[in-house]
Amino acid sequence: MSTNFDVNHNMSAGATGERGVSRRNLIKLTGAGAAALGLASAAGLTGAEQAFAAPADRKDLAPGDTSNGADNFYTSDQVTVRKISFKNRYEMMVVGNLFVPNSLNRSTTNPALVVGHPMGAVKEQSANLYATKMAEQGYVTLSFDLSFWGESAGKPGNAVLPDVYAEDFSAAVDYLRSRPFVDKERVGAIGICGSGSFVISAAKIDPRIKAIATVSMYDMGAANRDGLRKSVTLEQRKAIIAEAAAQRDVEFSGGAIQYTGGTPEELTAASTAVDREFYDFYRTQRGYHPNTTTHPALATNTKFMNFHPFRDLELVAPRPLLFITGDQAHSREFSEEAYRLATGPKELFWVPGAGHVDLYDRVGLIPFDKLTEFFRGNLK
């Protein structure tokens, strides 16, 4: 299903840069957001159009499904959090949060973890939760906004550039290794959803990342080239590429930026189960944050077509890989494929009864004990 949305896109600079498109400039959003990441657009599906005006006040949001301990905005009195910023190798400012256990022995060096948020999200969605929970286990942790998203630099906001996303992970490692209380040789990383593919891309060429865990991973390249279960044909892929190329001409001439995919702003009778899964997180009090739309820029979304994070996966070995996915997750095929291709120490860990988004915030399902065991065993 491809759904067009008209938006009053006068959002904060943190959400979409500083372009501030006015109400008179309606921005077309193509794609229903089958994966909150442009997957419906990638599938080349078509359907009825729908319009909405983004509300200025979101206090009326539905609570969402908070079963199984869903607690996206969890905080801990055992952890001190400080906003930080650092530059990547492209001189772009990356904004993050540093989580330090209150019990940390600062007179010695300690293991640390970088945590990446789902694609289309911001650090306040899922990444902060994981960073807090792992800090409670004694790790120095760092969550951050990918470039072009949230508070990090990059224009236009919501642009897609997977090589820079991977660079952001390495830049976060730069930052952690510069801290006097962090052991340079004991830095690992967690990538959630799309960040699972970005952290693997980074780890292939950054041996300083000593252990890698992914949760509900999306291979953003395969998702956009092939769709779920390889549902996208070559002709559909070519049509997507042609649409994005045409949009470049529009924007070069000063036309409005167009956005694609992402989580739907409204549910209809035609909304898919995947639409509803993402909606319940991003569009309700459960996980909503004003700094994100989840809608990537159409003209750049095709950059994912050339993104192959699982190619040359043997470069990660002998560093260990842990792939965590729900046995009910619509995205499980990506973790299964990465596990198949990995050549070094590896584990595919199933969470019974869990779907894709369940592992964003449902602390009753997220296997933090497994993550702790993995990093304790591999960041010695």
Side-chain angles (χ1 to χ4, degrees):
M1 180 176 64
S2 178
T3 308
N4 296 335
F5 300 102
D6 292 329
V7 192
N8 173 12
H9 197 77
N10 191 14
M11 300 185 68
S12 68
T16 54
E18 297 177 353
R19 57 188 177 273
V21 180
S22 72
R23 187 167 197 146
R24 292 170 297 177
N25 294 324
L26 299 178
I27 295 176
K28 180 183 175 186
L29 300 174
T30 60
L37 311 164
L39 191 57
S41 177
L45 305 177
T46 59
E49 295 190 357
Q50 176 185 2
F52 77 95
D57 185 352
R58 304 305 301 264
K59 292 180 180 179
D60 59 343
L61 290 171
D65 179 0
T66 56
S67 62
N68 286 304
D71 197 359
N72 180 66
F73 301 105
Y74 174 79
T75 59
S76 173
D77 58 9
Q78 303 174 47
V79 177
T80 297
V81 187
R82 180 166 62 91
K83 181 170 285 190
I84 60 168
S85 61
F86 49 91
K87 288 186 177 180
N88 64 25
R89 289 296 88 194
Y90 301 106
E91 294 293 307
M92 298 171 68
M93 191 63 71
V94 179
V95 178
N97 291 321
L98 184 69
F99 300 77
V100 179
N102 295 338
S103 60
L104 191 80
N105 183 355
R106 291 174 177 260
S107 66
T108 187
T109 56
N110 303 271
L113 300 171
V114 178
V115 184
H117 59 73
M119 175 59 199
V122 289
K123 61 186 177 300
E124 291 82 7
Q125 293 166 316
S126 194
N128 277 359
L129 168 62
Y130 275 74
T132 303
K133 287 289 188 179
M134 296 308 292
E136 288 182 335
Q137 298 303 314
Y139 295 91
V140 177
T141 59
L142 190 163
S143 68
F144 66 95
D145 288 327
L146 292 168
S147 293
F148 305 101
W149 296 88
E151 297 178 281
S152 290
K155 293 182 180 180
N158 297 25
V160 170
L161 200 52
D163 282 350
V164 172
Y165 298 162
E167 163 59 26
D168 291 339
F169 273 94
S170 288
V173 173
D174 295 341
Y175 180 90
L176 284 173
R177 284 168 60 93
S178 73
R179 300 304 95 185
F181 46 84
V182 169
D183 187 332
K184 290 180 171 62
E185 301 307 316
R186 290 196 290 164
V187 178
I190 300 172
I192 304 161
C193 185
S195 278
S197 59
F198 309 143
V199 72
I200 287 177
S201 181
K204 288 192 299 184
I205 56 173
D206 192 343
R208 302 172 306 164
I209 305 174
K210 301 299 184 181
I212 303 97
T214 69
V215 181
S216 288
M217 178 170 56
Y218 251 88
D219 173 350
M220 291 307 304
N224 280 271
R225 284 188 302 275
D226 304 322
L228 292 174
R229 294 173 293 280
K230 300 189 183 303
S231 58
V232 176
T233 67
L234 177 60
E235 290 307 311
Q236 287 173 327
R237 189 188 310 171
K238 288 181 177 180
I240 295 162
I241 293 169
E243 181 185 14
Q247 183 60 24
R248 291 180 66 107
D249 290 332
V250 171
E251 293 175 17
F252 186 82
S253 299
I257 296 171
Q258 190 175 22
Y259 296 86
T260 185
T263 305
E265 300 291 336
E266 294 181 1
L267 294 178
T268 70
S271 296
T272 67
V274 177
D275 286 339
R276 295 175 187 279
E277 183 181 4
F278 282 109
Y279 184 96
D280 191 76
F281 181 79
Y282 287 109
R283 304 297 182 229
T284 70
Q285 294 175 26
R286 174 184 164 194
Y288 171 79
H289 194 276
N291 272 8
T292 187
T293 65
T294 78
H295 304 297
L298 171 62
T300 60
N301 199 55
T302 49
K303 299 294 185 184
F304 280 136
M305 298 286 187
N306 284 336
F307 181 50
H308 297 267
F310 300 165
R311 185 176 292 171
D312 301 322
L313 195 54
E314 62 270 17
L315 287 168
V316 175
R319 290 167 290 156
L321 286 159
L322 171 64
F323 307 105
I324 297 173
T325 186
D327 66 359
Q328 304 301 308
H330 68 263
S331 59
R332 56 180 286 173
E333 64 187 273
F334 304 120
S335 294
E336 292 171 329
E337 179 68 359
Y339 177 76
R340 183 183 71 82
L341 293 171
T343 59
K346 60 183 179 179
E347 182 177 359
L348 179 59
F349 185 86
W350 297 101
V351 180
H356 177 86
V357 177
D358 287 335
L359 300 185
Y360 285 10
D361 67 336
R362 298 195 190 280
V363 296
L365 292 174
I366 298 170
F368 289 112
D369 289 348
K370 181 62 182 179
L371 285 166
T372 301
E373 171 193 317
F374 172 74
F375 287 114
R376 282 185 180 162
N378 293 292
L379 296 179
K380 298 178 182 178

